[in-house]
Amino acid sequence: MTETATRSPGLRPWSMVLGLGFVSLFIDMVSDGAISVGGALLEQLGASAALVGIVTGAATAIALVLRLVTGPWADRTAGYWGFTIVGYAMSAVSVPLLAFTPVLGTASLAAASTLILVERTGKAVRGPAKTVLLADAAGVVGRGKGFGVHKLLDQIGAFAGPLLVAGIAAITGELWPAFLALAIPAVMAMVLLLWLRARVPDTSVYRPAPRARADRPAPEATSGVASAGAAPRRRTSVISRLAGLSAIPSHVRTTFLLFATFAALTTFGLLSFGVMSFHLVAADLVPVAGVPLVYAAGMAAAAVGALATGWVYDRAGSAVLFAVPVLTAFVPGFTLAGTLGLVVLGVVIWGLATGVQDSTVKALVADLVPAEQRGSAYGWFAVFQGIGALAGASVAGALYGDVPVLIAIVVALQVAAAVLLVAVLRRHRGERMAQPA
């Protein structure tokens, strides 16, 4: 009997799943509370729309693209708890520190921008490693149920954080007390996370022992010298070796890259909520305390969009993804409109498209790419989305004073995205028909 089989975890699997879920709930209160007013804070500190677009777009891009490095790094070192703790700590510390930026004088804007970037970097650091910890425990109770419960708690935090910020800002008339108050859920998250780490230092105890052994490559497979008789290794670029893109079969890789380009174009059109929150405050459409409420409406729409299109995807197929470019084409015209009603409608449309983009769109990646290469595929998919997010938010900020031009660019790109999706679905259909029965 192996060591893995004889060890018993210090917590039941459901306790670990719920524990990690509540950590995410508390940290999402912190992160989404900050995101909901990030653009408004930068506007108060003197940022232009262009700078808001660059900062918030870069923050989103970092949260996506950096996972291409942190995921393989966590795998190589097996330091899943370490990456998770450091990533959560970066968010837990950086957001409350935003409370002190208004008193820093000429350095206030630079400090706030840096802290916003640090917070999203924390998400990239913890994301892949935390998913491994969760997958270990959820594998015992059922990954569908385990990840579903975790996502539910995650969304509760995403709603509660903006509402907390809105309430405190309404009472005090300032944003800094709200950022300071977010230190409370931040501390709760870190205390709970460290307790979970102390109780279960190695979540591999939840894995079935034979699989845990079988999944490990032999030392010869990981060394730099090929064993006798082994086939010579194909030379690949550093990036390809890091993320495994070259491992995806060539015919599938082309279809996947077309679909990733589709995702980049649609992500471009979704701009960033930072630009939208800047507009809400700069155009005097709502007081600062009302901005998080608008964000919460968008998050509610995102949950509905993800659930509804996921249900349709399972029953009617991937054609439902055409909803993404259609919805996205309306985002800039409504979210940057001159009346509150149109902006709120635009944020709801943005939320619907974002929900589909963050969930159902990724389901097609799993259908396109073989199971053995899906981790690499999702890493590269995040890179394409990150590039789209940075470009879209930056262009939206630069063209804030010329919205008709922005609308024309986004609509044109969504037409191109729809054409790409047609090509992807046709290629995928052909690949499935070519497979042996």
Side-chain angles (χ1 to χ4, degrees), residues 6 30 53 56 63 66 95 106 116 156 160 202 206 217 221-222 227 271 284 346 349 351 360 362 382:
T6 58
V30 178
T56 58
L66 194 57
V95 170
T106 56
I116 289 172
I156 291 173
D202 182 5
Y206 294 116
T222 58
S227 59
L271 314 183
D284 291 325
I349 294 172
T360 313
K362 295 177 181 178

Side-chain angles (χ1 to χ4, degrees), residues 75 175 350 356:
D75 284 337
L175 284 177
W350 166 81
V356 182

Side-chain angles (χ1 to χ4, degrees), residues 40-304:
L41 172 67
L42 295 176
E43 191 273 342
Q44 287 185 343
L45 297 177
S48 64
L51 180 59
V52 171
I54 291 172
V55 172
T56 58
T60 302
I62 287 172
L64 292 166
V65 175
L66 194 57
R67 299 183 192 200
L68 193 65
V69 176
T70 60
W73 190 0
D75 284 337
R76 286 197 306 272
T77 62
Y80 300 113
W81 275 116
F83 277 86
T84 301
I85 291 170
V86 170
Y88 275 121
M90 292 174 73
S91 294
V93 172
S94 59
V95 170
L97 287 179
L98 287 170
F100 302 99
T101 56
V103 300
L104 297 180
T106 56
S108 60
L109 182 56
S113 300
T114 301
L115 290 171
I116 289 172
L117 294 174
V118 169
E119 193 283 318
R120 290 289 84 185
T121 302
K123 183 175 180 63
V125 170
R126 68 180 179 260
K130 182 224 28 186
T131 302
V132 172
L133 300 178
L134 177 61
D136 282 345
V140 181
V141 302
R143 287 201 172 95
K145 290 185 292 185
F147 276 89
V149 169
H150 184 274
K151 185 63 176 178
L152 173 63
L153 294 171
D154 184 275
Q155 285 299 109
I156 291 173
F159 283 115
L163 295 180
L164 175 63
V165 171
I168 295 176
I171 293 171
T172 64
E174 300 283 350
L175 284 177
W176 70 264
F179 289 124
L180 206 56
L182 291 175
I184 297 174
V187 170
M188 294 172 66
M190 295 309 300
V191 169
L192 177 56
L193 183 64
L194 293 173
W195 180 79
L196 292 172
R197 166 66 175 79
R199 294 299 303 270
V200 187
D202 182 5
T203 57
S204 68
V205 297
Y206 294 116
R207 304 174 194 168
R211 174 173 293 182
R213 292 295 181 185
D215 287 348
R216 292 177 184 172
E220 292 82 4
T222 58
S223 66
V225 180
S227 59
R233 291 186 177 183
R234 182 160 53 94
R235 295 178 65 87
T236 58
S237 68
V238 174
I239 295 178
S240 294
R241 289 200 302 271
L242 175 66
L245 182 63
S246 61
I248 301 174
S250 59
H251 64 287
V252 175
R253 189 190 313 143
T254 300
T255 306
F256 165 72
L257 291 174
L258 288 172
F259 187 56
T261 304
F262 159 87
L265 295 179
T266 54
T267 303
F268 179 102
L270 292 174
L271 314 183
S272 82
F273 189 78
V275 176
M276 300 173 201
S277 63
F278 174 94
H279 175 63
L280 286 167
V281 175
D284 291 325
L285 297 179
V286 294
V288 172
V291 175
L293 300 179
V294 178
Y295 179 80
M299 290 297 95
V304 172

